[in-house]
Amino acid sequence: MRNKINTHRDQLGDIKTLIERRDRFWVTTHIHPDGDSIASVLLFSAILQRYGKTHCIVIDDAVPRKFDFLPGIASIRSFDGLKPAFEPDVIAVLDASTLQRIGRVSGFMRPDSTVIHIDHHPESECLGDARICDAEESSTVELVYYLAAVCGLPITPDIATLVYTGIVCDTGRFLFPNITHRSLEICSDMVRKGADPGRIAERIYFRNSPETLKALSSALSTLEFHFNGAVASIHLNHHSCGSPERPDTEGFIDHLLTVEGTEVEFFMLKLQPGLFKVSFRSKSYVDVNEVAKQFGGGGHMRASGCMIRGEEKEVKNRILEVLGAHVHPSGAGEPPAARPRPE
Ligand SMILES: [Mn+2]
């Protein structure tokens, strides 16, 4: 961990200086916020608080209910199209690879706005006046944690809970290949400093509504395989779930990863007639960031997403056409390439 702080010493120093010199901050992250993005904005906000800075967290989306236990969560303001009460000197953009990803909040940025950008997506625009973009990190919250260390933020049980939660969520509960020895070391340290893994798991993963489980069952009943089993897909129309609320479908796609022999998984969630939110996962050789990019989306090599307009059949066919160029049509997988060992 020390090594990483050394690697980013200059950038961390630039961000710290900017925080010390300016007074009013907006802190934001991507739409459809997840555990990492929410933990990151809350941790950044704790750093600002330590310096006594005026700030607000503004996200162009609702915060999923499962994160309601996170310390400071009530301070997050869901963007309602109106400008927050004060003009910022600085906007901190966390865990979003492009400004498009922060939704309508970007509409309030001026060309001369000062931006801090902290992110771990590959091909991040890396757009800030002060920035750290490091795709070797499992999560953005790890990078914000380094900043917290450089700024001397004491690691209280609340802070430890934020960091641990962000890492757990972005590593698929320590199962995805993006996990590094650093992430595990940091988590171990966070547990020592008061994060409670059992309670955090219970809050995030074991409080599904019956509607969510029914929605999962209905999605899994649409399971299909393509290209001799190399690709698995499911779809769901969230209006058909019998609940007026959008069910929490995050994690549905991960069930497809459990099937032996598949390389790519995708999940089409119909948000409204003619509009699908599509998530992709891959296991060893297909770069699904490239796949999602073809539809105007993006993400990581092993997990990505995009929005696609069209009718269900047409959307699925377009996805399969793109995937056809990436998977072995015989269904035979390639051995995973040896992963470079990150520092
Ligand atoms: Mn992330």
Side-chain angles (χ1 to χ4, degrees):
M1 192 201 98
R2 275 277 132 216
N3 290 346
K4 269 289 174 178
I5 291 183
N6 281 334
T7 310
H8 295 302
R9 181 157 299 284
D10 292 348
Q11 293 99 316
L12 289 165
D14 289 349
I15 297 176
K16 180 172 180 259
T17 307
L18 201 54
I19 292 174
E20 285 166 350
R21 290 195 182 152
R22 302 297 187 92
D23 291 313
R24 295 186 307 273
F25 297 75
W26 287 5
V27 185
T28 191
T29 186
H30 59 79
I31 51 169
H32 306 302
D34 53 28
D36 180 33
S37 54
I38 291 170
S40 296
V41 294
L42 290 173
L43 181 58
F44 198 92
S45 155
I47 297 171
L48 293 174
Q49 215 160 332
R50 173 169 164 75
Y51 285 102
K53 303 292 178 176
T54 301
H55 68 283
C56 69
I57 302 173
V58 53
I59 302 179
D60 183 10
D61 217 331
V63 173
R65 190 183 69 92
K66 61 187 170 189
F67 299 119
D68 61 8
F69 72 100
L70 286 176
I73 196 82
S75 67
I76 296 184
R77 184 188 138 136
S78 284
F79 187 68
D80 50 13
L82 298 171
K83 206 189 274 191
F86 63 92
E87 283 278 337
D89 297 334
V90 179
I91 301 178
V93 177
L94 311 179
D95 200 41
S97 52
T98 65
L99 282 185
Q100 216 188 339
R101 295 278 293 143
I102 64 174
R104 291 173 297 170
V105 177
S106 67
F108 288 109
M109 291 176 83
R110 297 182 310 261
D112 62 343
S113 292
T114 302
V115 173
I116 292 174
H117 190 199
I118 305 181
D119 187 28
H120 71 130
H121 290 88
E123 299 167 19
S124 194
E125 270 179 4
C126 222
L127 40 82
D129 300 86
R131 57 186 182 244
I132 305 180
C133 299
D134 184 345
E136 275 185 7
E137 294 306 293
S138 76
S139 54
T140 293
V141 81
E142 279 182 52
L143 293 165
V144 186
Y145 171 71
Y146 301 143
L147 178 66
V150 167
C151 294
L153 184 76
I155 306 299
T156 60
D158 279 357
I159 298 297
T161 299
L162 292 177
V163 176
Y164 183 92
T165 300
I167 295 176
V168 163
C169 290
D170 252 29
T171 59
R173 319 179 200 185
F174 307 122
L175 291 174
F176 294 156
N178 64 348
I179 188 89
T180 65
H181 66 87
R182 281 185 310 279
S183 326
L184 292 168
E185 277 162 15
I186 293 171
C187 283
S188 157
D189 199 36
M190 294 304 102
V191 173
R192 195 177 307 125
K193 291 178 174 146
D196 180 343
R199 179 174 165 268
I200 292 170
E202 189 273 323
R203 300 270 95 187
I204 301 175
Y205 298 113
F206 305 138
R207 288 195 298 158
N208 280 333
S209 65
E211 284 73 27
T212 295
L213 217 62
K214 282 182 194 158
L216 173 64
S217 148
S218 141
L220 289 178
S221 73
T222 69
L223 177 63
E224 281 182 323
F225 293 95
H226 320 271
F227 303 108
N228 292 307
V231 174
S233 70
I234 53 172
H235 59 89
L236 181 72
N237 176 355
H238 82 83
H239 288 300
S240 66
C241 297
S243 163
E245 266 178 51
R246 194 159 85 185
D248 179 12
T249 54
E250 207 200 320
F252 279 19
I253 190 172
D254 297 333
H255 290 269
L256 303 190
L257 286 166
T258 63
V259 181
E260 185 179 14
T262 56
E263 169 58 24
V264 176
E265 296 75 26
F266 69 91
F267 170 34
M268 294 169 48
L269 177 66
K270 189 179 191 174
L271 296 178
Q272 61 192 57
L275 181 64
F276 290 85
K277 176 175 181 264
V278 185
S279 317
F280 296 97
R281 296 284 185 274
S282 72
K283 283 180 180 164
S284 67
Y285 63 90
V286 173
D287 182 348
V288 287
N289 179 34
E290 289 299 321
V291 173
K293 264 167 55 185
Q294 303 220 12
F295 297 102
H300 303 274
M301 206 200 260
R302 300 276 166 260
S304 67
C306 59
M307 305 288 269
I308 308 182
R309 289 188 181 279
E311 287 319 308
E312 185 181 310
K313 222 175 156 52
E314 176 206 340
V315 170
K316 194 197 288 175
N317 286 337
R318 282 172 61 200
I319 295 170
L320 289 173
E321 203 180 301
V322 170
L323 287 178
H326 288 79
V327 296
H328 298 305
S330 66
E334 264 186 1
R339 273 168 30 85
R341 275 177 149 259
E343 222 296 277

